Amino acid sequence: MPWPEGPVTATMSEAFDCAKCSESLYGRKYIQTDNGPYCVPCYDNTFANTCAECQQLIGHDSRELFYEDRHFHEGCFRCCRCQRSLADEPFTCQDSELLCNDCYCSAFSSQCSACGETVMPGSRKLEYGGQTWHEHCFLCSGCEQPLGSRSFVPDKGAHYCVPCYENKFAPRCARCSKTLTQGGVTYRDQPWHRECLVCTGCQTPLAGQQFTSRDDDPYCVACFGELFAPKCSSCKRPITGLGGGKYVSFEDRHWHHSCFACARCSTSLVGQGFVPDGDQVLCQGCSQAGP
């Protein structure tokens, strides 16, 4: 709309009429435009904008506010909820409705799950599990330091940084006492790092291997046999009994099942009667046959 310099009162000297209604402007207030003078009513009807709120013309003598192709009287430019004037206040437009910051935050902003205060639009925040926190309110439940962008572990409504979670909840290796963060094996109902479960004799890793123990110390089959297992009286190799291996004992002597045979005819004596002959054992037939 043409910006007027303000109404002027005409004085009689020559014909001087309104460019719209042609009525004389002598003795009346008028507004001069590039298209000629207008009486005040014609000027408002021709050039004034309509208020988007009240749908009335915004007269030349009213303060007009403009926002996104919409025009408002100063008194009509207000929050649609609390009716506070927004003429000199920060505001937000939500679905074509004007809202003061307080009403916008109350209606559309989240509340911090820690402090209960509003998380203001544009402020730094963290969201997890349908909850929202101010960045400075999202703290580790252990050390109470801000988690920020660090990795964390949720546990029953609490949130822990990785070091605090490991110190508080992670199992500890039975050998080195350090936490197990992943993997690991169980031996005697206790957790072990895979690299910590080794043979007491040769230090060979035992995870995934067959092994046994003595006095709670783990041993691979080879070391256990060499150090502790009885020796077969026939082949002199260790008798471990592992892997389903069976053996026969008589007095203070031991034999693998496959080695327990007559010293003369080599007939297996497993489940059969036999006769000891010095360091040897004989089947009943060979014993009766004499030397």
Side-chain angles (χ1 to χ4, degrees), residues 210-258:
Q210 189 179 48
F211 66 93
T212 187
S213 64
R214 184 178 180 90
D215 298 330
D216 292 337
D217 294 325
Y219 290 88
C220 67
V221 174
C223 285
F224 184 85
E226 289 298 324
L227 295 172
F228 308 111
K231 303 300 187 294
C232 178
S233 295
S234 177
C235 70
K236 309 305 180 186
R237 292 195 299 270
I239 300 174
T240 64
L242 299 175
K246 296 181 179 181
Y247 62 96
V248 176
S249 295
F250 175 71
E251 295 180 343
D252 59 349
R253 289 182 289 171
H254 311 276
W255 293 265
H256 295 107
H257 259 208
S258 59

Side-chain angles (χ1 to χ4, degrees), residues 119-198:
V119 180
M120 297 296 290
S123 62
R124 296 177 67 86
K125 64 180 180 179
L126 291 167
E127 296 179 324
Y128 175 76
Q131 295 179 292
T132 305
W133 290 263
H134 294 111
E135 185 179 42
H136 59 272
C137 289
F138 192 56
L139 307 178
C140 170
S141 299
C143 63
E144 298 187 348
Q145 295 299 307
L147 290 170
S149 59
R150 291 189 296 162
S151 298
F152 67 91
V153 182
D155 184 79
K156 298 178 182 178
H159 305 88
Y160 296 90
C161 63
V162 174
C164 283
Y165 183 82
E166 291 178 352
N167 289 332
K168 188 175 181 66
F169 299 107
R172 294 183 177 275
C173 176
R175 182 178 184 184
C176 70
S177 298
K178 295 181 180 178
T179 56
L180 280 79
T181 56
Q182 59 183 358
V185 294
T186 300
Y187 170 60
R188 291 190 177 276
D189 296 325
Q190 292 181 306
W192 295 62
H193 291 112
R194 295 179 66 88
E195 61 272 19
C196 287
L197 185 61
V198 297

Side-chain angles (χ1 to χ4, degrees), residues 84 86 88-92 99-101:
R84 178 193 302 179
L86 301 177
D88 299 303
E89 297 283 341
F91 65 91
T92 303
L99 299 167
C100 65
N101 272 2

Side-chain angles (χ1 to χ4, degrees), residues 74-85:
E74 179 180 9
C76 294
F77 193 66
R78 57 185 182 268
C79 174
C80 68
R81 299 204 174 196
C82 69
Q83 304 303 309
R84 178 193 302 179
S85 173

